[in-house]
Amino acid sequence: MGIIKVENIRVYAYHGCLQEETKIGSDYRVDLKVKADLQKSSRTDKLNDTVDYVFLNRIVKEEMAKPSQLLETVAKRILNRIFKEDKLVKKAYISVSKINPPIGGDVEYVTIEMKEKRKSIF
């Protein structure tokens, strides 16, 4: 088993419960970590035998572009797509941070974290 991380993905998006947030938008940071068997790719040196971090970054950007009220919703969509589109991923961890959230205080960011593992099918 191995780990692939794509960290500090910076995205401008339109998530939030306040109407202004969905019109004005804000900066976000996404950190992603996936666990997969990397033994084959370490031997073959072939991109098809591993989890492509360009693919992971693309999914994050595409799902972050779809406005949602909650960061939890966006994170779950990202995780669902990763498991659906890449069968090598066994576990995934994601954190989504809203930078400078409009919560009436001097707060650098708020973050939600989620993790999932591939469901076994017998």
Side-chain angles (χ1 to χ4, degrees):
M1 197 63 71
I3 296 173
I4 295 175
K5 296 181 183 179
V6 185
E7 298 178 303
N8 200 18
I9 303 168
R10 293 176 298 274
V11 182
Y12 197 84
Y14 300 87
H15 307 299
C17 296
L18 302 175
Q19 190 174 21
E20 310 86 69
E21 293 176 292
T22 59
K23 288 185 179 181
I24 297 169
S26 44
D27 292 306
Y28 293 84
R29 172 186 171 157
V30 178
D31 294 291
L32 189 60
K33 177 170 80 170
V34 299
K35 290 187 175 184
D37 184 351
L38 303 180
Q39 291 302 312
K40 183 175 181 183
S41 61
S42 70
R43 290 188 309 274
T44 66
D45 197 31
K46 302 290 184 197
L47 185 59
N48 289 343
D49 294 331
T50 192
V51 179
D52 184 356
Y53 49 81
V54 174
F55 155 80
L56 296 172
N57 186 60
R58 179 177 49 81
I59 285 179
V60 168
K61 289 186 172 191
E62 288 174 1
E63 293 304 323
M64 287 295 290
K66 301 173 188 173
S68 294
Q69 288 188 28
L70 301 178
L71 299 180
E72 294 91 321
T73 305
V74 181
K76 184 66 173 165
R77 279 199 320 257
I78 292 167
L79 292 173
N80 287 345
R81 278 202 54 202
I82 289 168
F83 285 112
K84 180 180 178 186
E85 296 179 29
D86 194 318
K87 303 302 182 204
L88 291 176
V89 175
K90 303 298 181 206
K91 293 182 181 178
Y93 306 81
I94 188 168
S95 66
V96 181
S97 302
K98 179 181 275 193
I99 301 169
N100 297 318
I103 60 174
D106 186 12
V107 177
E108 186 175 352
Y109 54 86
V110 295
T111 302
I112 67 97
E113 296 179 350
M114 296 179 81
K115 64 181 178 178
E116 294 274 337
K117 67 179 186 177
R118 184 170 298 283
K119 292 166 182 53
S120 299
I121 301 175
F122 295 100

